[in-house]
Amino acid sequence: MVKRNASVTETGAGGGSGSGGRRASVKNDPNADAALQKMGYQSELPRNLSMLSVLGMSFAIMAVPFGLSTTLYITLTDGQSVTILYGWILVSLISLSIASSLAEICAVYPTAGGVYYWSAMLSTREWAPIASWVTGWLTLVGNWTVTLSINFSGGQLILSAITLWDEDFVPNQWQTVLMFWAVMLVCMSVNIWGAQYLDLINKICIYWTASSVVIILVTLLSMADNKRDAKFVFSHYDASKSGWPSGWAFFVGLLQAAYTLTGYGMVAAMCEEVAHPEREVPKAIVLSVAAAGITGVIYLIPILFVLPDVQLLLDVANGQPIGLLFKTVTGSAGGGFGLLFLILGILFFAGTGALTAASRCTYAFARDGAIPGSRLWARVDKRYDIPLMALVLSTLVDCLLGLIYFGSSAAFNSFTGVATICLSTSYGMPILISLLRGRRAVRHSGFSLGRFGYAINIAMVCWICLAVVLFCMPVSLPVEAAEMNYASVVFAGFAAISIAWYFIRGRKEFSGPPVPTDVDPGEQVGVEGLAVTESRMDVEEKVG
């Protein structure tokens, strides 16, 4: 276990107290550092990210045009226009409600532990350790697998560009996995040697994405020889290719929107790198979802107007039809690649941002001793001011999980499914606990849902329960072993590791994240000033 010192020393311009001489923050915030120490942690990471940067990172992780493009085959199979458009609008509203529920809690407990820490603080003392353990593992696996799914589909998309010129080219399993590894290596390299530029990279993402959507919209509508009518775009529904009952296919198809809009809660892991996180991070979480929802509508409607023959798109060998769609509409391989390049640019921002958030989540969970080898993964490298080994672990886990593709051609379905399930349930845990405790901890939140809080929270918990069932389903029936959605298997595998490690070490040594001892968990309303109480772990070490 890593010991956290509960004493406070004001942070000067030269750096943070207890950080071992970290580089000075761009935006110094001694109150935030003191608040973090009251929550039981020393500030070790420089606070050099702005609200716009965090919003950009959240927007990058969701990567709307990229996410919708790489999962287009799901909705083309499960309902087409109605599922694509109205499914997106429905899930956008649901995601905005979940994001608001999380922002309400984040405003009270702004720490890199995110939902993992919130579950502990909102629970009773008796249940805090197990609540934080379960939530932490769900968050960790969700962060890893959403990064995996982004970069794996990115590798597939890069290879699909070759088919624009050579239609007979079908990438084999080794080519796909090696390309995926190359994408992971690029994202890891940017996170190491470009760490000081992450703020700029996240901001550029916003402008790149907005420009890309406008360029694609104008190009497709102006160059398309044949356009669909409004009736097709706004009311066409055809789930005959799914094999599911017509109504159920619509819900299975919601995986496209749910997966794309999953990553907003991951940026809570950046709270310790933002000045005034109790104000800036909640705003970034909610605004990013609102911006993503609007961006998705603007991106999808033009695509539906120019949509080529659906069967032609579904017959693409590697399951990534967007390049062929661009080529068909523009009438040339060069034109198709030009638009695809814009999507690949978004991949760069999405993969980099997701890996950043995953590494911070790994670091936060490891410093409480909840991962095998925690002492190693919880180290902050002073050369780069990043949790380097947590970054390496996140990259390595994803690279190994990519090997599932050798056993299942539908591995991407499994990655998207388990990422959506794990992150959704991890978001649901603190919301559910807050409900069960009467929402006492968030009554005076700086981002309060007010009188609508109960209704929104209850509705979101019900949706998350349904989502767990939905996103274990295969995209279409009948299904063979190689085409099965193995989300439940991957989920069960990580659950087995989590349970085994809990009984090996967790139940004896894991007490959850440190919480103030002067109040019961769930009754702390914000952290003000420089007053600090001892953490639960500090007390246990004294007794021991």
Side-chain angles (χ1 to χ4, degrees), residues 330-381:
T330 60
S332 69
F337 180 74
L339 296 182
L340 187 63
F341 178 78
L342 297 175
I343 303 296
L344 293 176
I346 297 173
L347 159 66
F348 167 78
F349 297 111
T352 300
L355 187 57
T356 302
S359 66
R360 301 315 191 263
C361 174
T362 304
Y363 156 77
F365 203 34
R367 67 183 175 183
D368 286 321
I371 306 174
S374 289
R375 290 184 182 274
L376 177 62
W377 316 126
R379 293 177 184 171
V380 174
D381 189 287

Side-chain angles (χ1 to χ4, degrees), residues 67 70-71 146 149-150 153 255-262 412 416 420:
T70 54
T71 54
V146 81
S149 59
I150 288 170
S153 61
L255 176 59
Q256 179 192 38
Y259 160 68
T260 303
L261 289 169
T262 294
F412 178 56
T416 56
T420 307

Side-chain angles (χ1 to χ4, degrees), residues 6 21 43 48 50 70 72 110 121 146 151 224 230 252 293 305 307 363 389 410 415 430 442 496 533 536:
S43 180
N48 54 10
S50 64
T70 54
L72 184 61
M121 283 301 300
V146 81
N151 289 330
V252 174
F305 268 112
L307 195 70
Y363 156 77
M389 295 312 297
F415 302 152
V442 297
T533 57
R536 178 189 299 161

Side-chain angles (χ1 to χ4, degrees), residues 57-65 67 150 260-264 285 288-289 292:
M57 176 179 289
S58 181
F59 197 62
I61 294 171
M62 288 185 282
V64 174
I150 288 170
T260 303
L261 289 169
T262 294
Y264 50 86
I285 292 173
S288 66
V289 176

Side-chain angles (χ1 to χ4, degrees), residues 155-222:
Q156 289 182 313
L157 202 61
I158 292 171
L159 290 172
S160 75
I162 299 174
T163 63
L164 296 178
W165 286 274
D166 182 4
E167 295 182 3
D168 296 326
F169 173 74
V170 179
N172 60 36
Q173 293 170 324
W174 269 112
Q175 289 169 326
T176 302
V177 171
L178 288 174
M179 182 58 72
F180 159 62
W181 285 351
V183 174
M184 287 296 306
L185 183 61
V186 169
C187 293
M188 184 180 75
S189 299
V190 173
N191 268 282
I192 296 174
W193 291 287
Q196 60 185 316
Y197 303 111
L198 288 178
D199 182 72
L200 176 62
I201 290 171
N202 293 334
K203 291 175 182 176
I204 291 174
C205 168
I206 298 174
Y207 299 106
W208 180 282
T209 303
S211 301
S212 297
V213 170
V214 172
I215 292 170
I216 291 172
L217 182 155
V218 172
T219 303
L220 291 180
L221 292 180
S222 62

